[in-house]
Amino acid sequence: MKLLLHACCGPCSLEPVRLLRAAGHDLTIAYLNSNIAPADEYAHRLATLRAWAAGEQLPVIEGPYDPAAWEACAGRVGEAAHDPERHAARCRACYRLRFEEAARLAAAQGFDALGTTLSVSPYQYTDIIREELERAAAAAGVRPLFEDYRPFYDEATHRSRSLGMYRQNYCGCRFSDAEAAAERAERKAERAAAREAERAAHAEERAAAEAAQAARRAERAAYDAKQAKKRAVLKALREQ
């Protein structure tokens, strides 16, 4: 089957491409990701994807990079996001925009089906990805080919690291960048607090050990003083 595979980046493409090729599909990758910000991050991910795909003899189609269009839909939803349900709505709007663009491209260029690599990540909304992929494909008159690639996430991570591929530390949009930065800061603060608690615990242990040692010294000193007093009394008695 001639399949257009929407891809978000190189690392997330590794396992889907391997599995889809093994199934006999004729693949072309579509890089349609106006959500990615800033522009140099978009370019870095695309360059990583292109370099890997060239070695795989895998064609890559780049769609228009239009952050303003993304901001007008998903960005506007994201501005109102203050709870997990709104976060999901923001991601749904993002998936919808990108899948609609990919589905139109698939239909215009004669592809049989449309798939996506987004379901590799366990941090994405997999059910919503499927819903939006199927909706966009049906509207464009192409077959949706959804696969849940999450079981292959660890292998994709291992392979991408062994290949030295650039691995981003946030989903792509400005919201996910800020959220990931906040999570990293929180983890850093938690690690610092844990280290401080460990140091405090060690300090308490040292203080307790020193106090016990001082108590033993004081006890020994008191015993020595008592024995010295006894010896002095005995000596005085002998001298009488």
Side-chain angles (χ1 to χ4, degrees):
M1 183 164 55
K2 188 179 179 184
L3 174 67
L4 184 66
L5 181 65
H6 169 268
C8 57
C9 64
C12 287
S13 301
L14 295 176
E15 286 300 289
V17 165
R18 179 182 67 81
L19 294 164
L20 291 167
R21 275 185 161 173
H25 298 303
D26 178 13
L27 300 181
T28 295
I29 286 182
Y31 188 75
L32 304 163
N33 300 300
S34 293
N35 60 307
I36 299 175
D40 59 351
E41 176 70 17
Y42 171 92
H44 197 170
R45 297 188 192 192
L46 176 58
T48 300
L49 175 63
R50 284 194 184 280
W52 168 75
E56 295 289 320
Q57 297 183 324
L58 189 62
V60 176
I61 300 174
E62 180 189 5
Y65 180 52
D66 190 356
W70 186 89
E71 288 289 350
C73 61
R76 186 169 57 188
V77 175
E79 290 293 352
H82 299 297
D83 58 63
E85 289 186 2
R86 296 296 290 174
H87 290 179
R90 179 191 79 207
C91 291
R92 181 184 290 278
C94 181
Y95 302 150
R96 178 169 295 184
L97 179 70
R98 295 148 77 194
F99 291 164
E100 285 179 345
E101 186 177 358
R104 288 193 297 268
L105 177 62
Q109 297 201 12
F111 287 90
D112 301 313
L114 174 67
T116 183
T117 67
L118 291 181
S119 59
V120 170
S121 172
Y123 306 105
Q124 298 281 353
Y125 295 97
T126 309
D127 291 342
I128 298 177
I129 290 171
R130 180 171 196 158
E131 291 170 7
E132 291 302 322
L133 180 71
E134 292 176 348
R135 191 198 63 80
V142 295
R143 177 182 169 184
L145 184 62
F146 173 83
E147 297 286 348
D148 184 352
Y149 298 113
R150 286 176 297 177
F152 304 96
Y153 177 77
D154 289 343
E155 179 61 22
T157 299
H158 173 74
R159 286 183 61 198
S160 61
R161 285 175 175 163
S162 67
L163 290 170
M165 297 177 83
Y166 167 65
R167 291 182 53 81
Q168 59 274 7
N169 58 11
Y170 66 102
C171 175
C173 75
R174 60 186 176 90
F175 299 106
S176 65
D177 188 15
E179 288 162 0
E183 289 173 1
R184 290 193 296 272
E186 183 178 358
R187 289 195 297 269
K188 183 178 179 180
E190 288 173 351
R191 289 193 296 268
R195 288 194 297 270
E196 183 59 34
E198 186 177 2
R199 283 195 293 268
H202 289 167
E204 289 179 1
E205 290 174 1
R206 288 194 297 272
E210 291 171 358
Q213 188 177 26
R216 288 193 295 271
R217 287 197 296 266
E219 184 179 354
R220 180 66 187 186
Y223 175 79
D224 290 344
K226 184 177 181 179
Q227 293 301 109
K229 185 175 181 180
K230 285 182 179 179
R231 288 193 295 271
V233 170
L234 290 172
K235 180 180 181 183
L237 290 174
R238 286 196 296 268
E239 291 174 350
Q240 287 180 358

